[in-house]
Amino acid sequence: MSDPQAILEQVTQIIRDLFDEYDGPVTMETTADDVAQWDSLSHVRLMVMIEMELGVHFSTSEMQGFKNLGDLVNAAAKQKG
Amino acid sequence: MIFTDPLFLFVFLPIVLITFYTISHFAGKNAALIVLFVSSIIFYIPHSWFSVALLIIALIVNFVIALAITFMDDEDKRRKRLYLAGQAYNFLSLCYFKYKIVSLLFGPSGGVLVDIAGIAIPAGISFYTFHQAAFLADAYGREKNVLQFLGKLSSPKAMVSAFCRYGAFVSFFPQLIIGPITYLSEFNPQIQSKRFLRLNPIDLAVGLTFIAIGMFKKVVIADNLAPTVDVVFSAANVGAEIHPVQAWIGALAYMGQLYFDFSGYSDMALGLARMFGLRYPINFFSPFKANGIIDYYRRWHMTLTRVIARFLYTPLSVAGTRYAMFNRLAPIPAHLLSLWIPMLVNFQIIGIWHGALWTFVVFGLMHGFWFALETEVRASKWYRNFSKDKNRLFIGFLERAVFFLPLLLSLAMFRSESVAGGFHLFSQMFGTSFDAPSAFNMRYPVMMLGIAFSIIYLCPNSVELMRRYRPAIMTYDNKSYGPAFLRRLWRPGWVQAAYMSVLVLAALYYVSRQPPFLYQGF
């Protein structure tokens, strides 16, 4: 399994680009509620950006089921093997 | 049967409750679930034998397919085909019986097919179809509850038991006709729990309280607003001149009627299920207190919103976003594909889910455009800067002021007997027919509106009132709005018993009139 910490760093970069007004911490526990710009529309954009950047593929039910960034990072790490 | 029918409340319900707890005590869980299944079918029989047959066939088809796809390997190509065939059965039968597609396509010369399609719409078909479609999707996605729910299927008897469990899950009478649309992940853990089947007095107390609140909402408020609504909307449909004040009263009365009717029903459903020790997902959480259309759909018919968002909006939006980003589309076409088109399709389906009428199509368009527009505005830098340093109270009032009128007008279109009738009503609301003859005496409707809207804006909703007793499964996390000092908590005791007795007595006074639930027609 790929290193979740390295994936979190890549994801953090994407989050900083997409949610340019957010300057709080990005951790495994971060959720959409923590970031004002993170609504359902930008959630889908974030997922697709992460898919493109990391070369992974999430099903729509996975995208809806992530409880926090940790869930997402672990799912990506598992796929990357 | 309907919930406010005295035959249901005073004969059917007590008999089923006593049988359920007695049988569960002596014969265990499977027998108790069979009692729920059989009693639900008995509950459904008065709607028509044909509807019962259709329900049972739908149960068998979905159960057999769920069973097959659960035990097939992922590599087996037939698994996907079988799943798609099951969903095709669900949605084609819904289209066939609800939308009379055959009669529309073939006209009166379609023979037997038209005869079958021409019968009344089977009660609850929109609800149990979505309920089973979601279950089938869970089985296909190997949701962990499915295997546990089906159990060991080593003998024909175990198979019959599993079918009855499934029958109870789909057709349990509190939610069969008008929802809530429930997921197996919400139902299964409860029936697996050791607490299930244990007769707990607090379940009965909470259940009865919900029934009292729900009956009051439906029979006392919604049904007393109904005559005004009928007069105004019939007049609008024939193009009559309506005094602007009366046109506004009619539109406001329908807003109140729809909410109290459907949320009253939903409260009764929660209460009835709770008497059997079961909790269901919440359908309403003060929708008219919402700060916009996005917030509204997290509070209005929440179980429909989430099932359509899950199976329609999200897959469409994901596909559109992927296409736009892979092809590096410009912002406008990208937004069209990832937001506007999925949203318009989503709301068109929500609209025509209620029936094959142009008024529902227009309603769907209004809400689709509005939802997408609000999403864009809220996401814009301009709005975030505008709202950043402003007083929260000011923003809250402003958002609600913007929200109210489009909501009122779109719900009026939803109720109208024709699109032309809907637009005519709008023209009368903003018109100058001050010399139009009075269509009704305004004192009583205005008083009812005063009561209805005071409850809507000032009172806690039933779930907030009962929150000490975990009355429902929370479909979305919603903030509590409204004055906090009025947000009372229900506790079993004489004071609450006295309040509830007043509600029940008022409801029983009106119950003899018995108009049907509005959502029964959908």
Side-chain angles (χ1 to χ4, degrees):
Chain A
M1 199 161 109
S2 294
D3 177 20
Q5 211 52 46
I7 292 181
L8 180 66
E9 274 170 35
Q10 282 177 286
V11 169
T12 304
Q13 197 51 51
I14 299 170
I15 287 179
R16 298 273 178 231
D17 286 348
L18 187 62
F19 305 131
D20 51 354
E21 290 171 21
Y22 177 72
D23 47 14
V26 178
T27 67
M28 292 291 219
E29 280 74 44
T30 302
T31 68
D33 290 343
D34 302 325
V35 185
Q37 286 169 278
W38 191 339
D39 58 12
S40 56
L41 179 66
S42 56
H43 179 72
V44 174
R45 290 196 65 200
L46 176 66
M47 294 297 125
V48 177
M49 283 169 86
I50 291 171
E51 282 184 338
M52 287 170 72
E53 182 73 26
L54 299 180
V56 292
H57 184 90
F58 300 127
S59 69
T60 48
S61 57
E62 272 181 306
M63 290 183 184
Q64 292 173 81
F66 296 134
K67 300 245 175 329
N68 54 24
L69 274 188
D71 276 6
L72 183 153
V73 165
N74 289 329
K78 211 169 151 187
Q79 274 194 39
K80 285 175 78 78
Chain B
M1 273 183 246
I2 59 170
F3 296 163
T4 50
D5 184 346
L7 188 70
F8 170 80
L9 285 171
F10 299 116
V11 181
F12 180 84
L13 181 61
I15 292 177
V16 177
L17 268 173
I18 293 168
T19 316
F20 172 78
Y21 282 111
T22 314
I23 297 266
S24 67
H25 183 74
F26 291 107
K29 188 168 76 186
N30 274 334
L33 288 167
I34 291 174
V35 170
L36 293 189
F37 180 40
V38 173
S39 58
S40 300
I41 296 297
I42 295 171
F43 169 86
Y44 196 47
I45 287 173
H47 289 283
S48 85
W49 284 100
F50 180 79
S51 303
V52 174
L54 198 64
L55 170 66
I56 291 178
I57 293 169
L59 287 173
I60 294 172
V61 169
N62 281 281
F63 178 73
V64 170
I65 292 182
L67 216 57
I69 61 177
T70 300
F71 293 104
M72 274 178 175
D73 284 335
D74 280 342
E75 287 74 38
D76 195 334
K77 279 187 182 147
R78 289 171 305 173
R79 186 170 187 265
K80 187 169 190 179
R81 276 187 224 141
L82 205 53
Y83 167 67
L84 292 177
Q87 295 296 35
Y89 172 83
N90 287 331
F91 290 104
L92 288 177
S93 64
L94 179 66
C95 292
Y96 185 77
F97 291 107
K98 180 159 179 160
Y99 300 104
K100 319 282 184 196
I101 299 272
V102 172
S103 347
L104 284 177
L105 290 180
F106 300 106
S109 59
V112 180
L113 284 178
V114 171
D115 289 344
I116 298 174
I119 56 160
I121 298 170
I125 188 166
S126 317
F127 290 91
Y128 72 68
T129 300
F130 277 54
H131 193 141
Q132 298 196 93
F135 168 75
L136 215 51
D138 281 340
Y140 186 69
R142 303 210 181 274
E143 210 278 335
K144 63 182 192 303
N145 281 285
V146 176
L147 211 56
Q148 189 187 29
F149 180 68
L150 293 173
K152 283 194 187 116
L153 299 166
S154 44
S155 65
K157 195 180 155 204
M159 207 78 117
V160 172
S161 277
F163 177 71
C164 290
R165 272 200 298 281
Y166 178 67
F169 164 59
V170 175
S171 59
F172 185 32
F173 64 86
Q175 46 90 65
L176 172 62
I177 314 277
I178 321 186
I181 301 163
T182 313
Y183 293 157
L184 188 69
S185 56
E186 295 164 332
F187 181 79
N188 184 53
Q190 298 189 67
I191 64 162
Q192 304 294 346
S193 158
K194 282 188 187 133
R195 286 164 51 186
F196 181 53
L197 305 179
R198 221 178 275 168
L199 178 58
N200 188 348
I202 196 69
D203 284 341
L204 298 182
V206 171
L208 285 170
T209 306
F210 264 109
I211 293 172
I213 295 172
M215 269 187 79
F216 181 83
K217 282 178 167 177
K218 155 74 182 155
V219 180
V220 179
I221 301 182
D223 291 352
N224 276 307
L225 289 169
T228 312
V229 173
D230 294 344
V231 168
V232 173
F233 282 85
S234 312
N237 192 43
V238 295
E241 277 200 356
I242 308 169
H243 193 287
V245 174
Q246 297 203 335
W248 277 87
I249 290 176
L252 287 167
Y254 180 63
M255 199 170 155
Q257 187 200 359
L258 185 67
Y259 171 66
F260 281 103
D261 189 286
F262 193 14
S263 79
Y265 162 82
S266 294
D267 285 346
M268 292 189 82
L270 287 181
L272 290 164
R274 183 62 179 263
M275 293 182 86
F276 294 85
L278 291 167
R279 287 179 177 83
Y280 271 78
I282 175 180
N283 244 347
F284 288 91
F285 198 89
S286 305
F288 294 154
K289 286 181 191 156
N291 63 19
I293 187 84
I294 299 173
D295 195 22
Y296 173 78
Y297 272 100
R298 294 168 62 87
R299 295 163 181 270
W300 176 276
H301 204 179
M302 293 143 87
T303 56
L304 179 69
T305 307
R306 71 169 179 176
V307 80
I308 293 191
R310 176 178 162 189
F311 293 109
L312 189 68
Y313 172 73
T314 309
L316 282 177
S317 171
V318 169
T321 309
R322 278 195 184 126
Y323 182 85
M325 291 181 71
F326 277 102
N327 294 290
R328 299 181 188 284
L329 296 187
I332 291 178
H335 270 226
L336 280 179
L337 280 182
S338 58
L339 173 69
W340 286 81
I341 293 173
M343 203 57 92
L344 287 171
V345 173
N346 180 72
F347 279 99
Q348 209 41 251
I349 296 294
I350 287 185
I352 56 178
W353 176 88
H354 292 90
L357 293 175
W358 285 108
T359 45
F360 295 144
V361 173
V362 176
F363 168 83
L365 276 174
M366 290 166 97
H367 278 206
F369 272 108
W370 184 10
F371 200 112
L373 190 65
E374 190 180 309
T375 308
E376 297 279 18
V377 170
R378 282 186 188 276
S380 69
K381 275 210 167 82
W382 169 81
Y383 183 76
R384 282 202 305 277
N385 286 338
F386 168 77
S387 60
K388 201 155 49 182
D389 336 308
K390 303 277 185 311
N391 181 314
R392 291 311 309 155
L393 206 62
F394 167 73
I395 292 289
F397 273 113
L398 184 71
E399 287 174 336
R400 284 169 182 83
V402 173
F403 169 62
F404 190 81
L405 186 63
L407 183 72
L408 178 72
L409 297 181
S410 57
L411 291 179
M413 179 54 78
F414 183 85
R415 166 63 176 82
S416 291
E417 286 153 32
S418 64
V419 175
F423 283 119
H424 180 71
L425 182 69
F426 298 167
S427 73
Q428 299 303 296
M429 287 167 76
F430 298 99
T432 51
S433 309
F434 291 103
D435 48 1
S438 174
F440 54 87
N441 184 342
M442 291 201 283
R443 217 169 60 187
Y444 189 66
V446 168
M447 186 190 78
M448 283 310 300
L449 276 181
I451 296 172
F453 279 87
S454 304
I455 294 174
I456 285 172
Y457 287 113
L458 299 177
C459 290
N461 62 52
S462 48
V463 172
E464 287 169 331
L465 185 73
M466 309 294 288
R467 70 184 177 278
R468 275 171 61 91
Y469 299 94
R470 290 198 302 119
I473 297 167
M474 300 309 280
T475 315
Y476 291 102
D477 286 331
N478 282 315
K479 280 188 195 140
S480 284
Y481 297 139
F485 71 97
L486 290 173
R487 227 174 282 147
R488 316 298 295 187
L489 284 179
W490 180 90
R491 283 188 178 83
W494 289 109
V495 178
Q496 292 291 343
Y499 284 143
M500 294 307 148
S501 308
V502 172
L503 299 191
V504 171
L505 286 174
L508 289 178
Y509 174 75
Y510 286 108
V511 88
S512 57
R513 291 162 40 190
Q514 287 299 344
F517 283 106
L518 289 185
Y519 257 68
Q520 210 160 326
F522 303 137

